């Protein structure tokens, strides 16, 4: 079975057969790495990665506890996960609605809000950790 990818000029592409077991796990890991590679093409994700790694390193140097570091790491991972979902929303929105529309704007704005709320949560987490260390 073939499908035409209109974004690439209608070149037929084979749909890969379904896999199970260990092959499925390997394929899923490959898809995740592809997603990470695509996400790193986004400036916002690269900036978030640099800020998160730097903040994590700073917290480690300042003597944050293992629990504090774990809480920060979880929230930081969630920022990248939601950034990936936001990017997916943007890609799909651009695909199904290439012209400007209020619905597309709302979809993109809501994805952006989700990322912003998690970044705010990270800032609060880091603030709480710093207060516990120096307050």
């Amino acid at each position: 079975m073939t499908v035409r990818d209109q974004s690439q000029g209608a070149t037929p592409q084979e749909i890969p057969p379904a896999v199970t077991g260990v092959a499925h796990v390997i394929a899923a890991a490959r898809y995740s790495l592809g997603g990470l590679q695509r996400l790193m093409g986004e400036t916002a994700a690269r900036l978030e990665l640099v800020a998160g790694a730097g903040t994590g390193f700073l917290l480690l140097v300042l003597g944050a506890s293992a629990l504090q570091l774990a809480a920060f790491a979880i929230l930081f991972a969630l920022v990248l996960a939601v950034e990936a979902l936001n990017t997916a929303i943007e890609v799909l929105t651009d695909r199904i609605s290439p012209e400007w529309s209020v619905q597309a704007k709302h979809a993109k704005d809501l994805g952006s809000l989700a990322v912003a709320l998690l970044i705010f949560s990270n800032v609060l987490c880091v603030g709480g950790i710093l207060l516990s260390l120096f307050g």
Side-chain angles (χ1 to χ4, degrees):
M1 176 186 229
T2 60
V3 65
R4 294 196 184 271
D5 183 353
Q6 295 173 356
S7 69
Q8 299 299 320
T11 303
Q13 297 181 353
E14 288 292 320
I15 297 175
V19 293
T20 59
V22 174
H24 174 76
V25 173
I26 293 169
R30 201 172 321 118
Y31 300 147
S32 295
L33 288 174
L36 179 61
Q37 182 179 14
R38 171 60 181 86
L39 182 63
M40 288 300 105
E42 295 292 316
T43 301
R46 290 192 308 271
L47 291 172
E48 291 158 358
L49 185 60
V50 168
T55 302
F57 179 74
L58 179 66
L59 292 174
L60 186 64
V61 168
L62 292 176
S65 71
L67 184 60
Q68 291 169 327
L69 290 170
F72 172 74
I74 290 166
L75 278 176
F76 174 65
L78 284 171
V79 167
L80 292 180
V82 172
E83 185 66 57
L85 292 172
N86 182 44
T87 299
I89 288 168
E90 290 178 354
V91 167
L92 287 172
T93 300
D94 290 344
R95 171 91 163 113
I96 63 173
S97 182
E99 70 287 344
W100 188 92
S101 72
V102 70
Q103 293 86 358
K105 179 185 182 325
H106 289 303
K108 290 181 174 189
D109 289 351
L110 289 166
S112 181
L113 173 64
V115 173
L117 290 171
L118 267 174
I119 290 172
F120 180 70
S121 297
N122 273 261
V123 169
L124 290 178
C125 177
V126 170
I129 292 170
L130 292 175
L131 276 176
S132 75
L133 292 174
F134 301 110

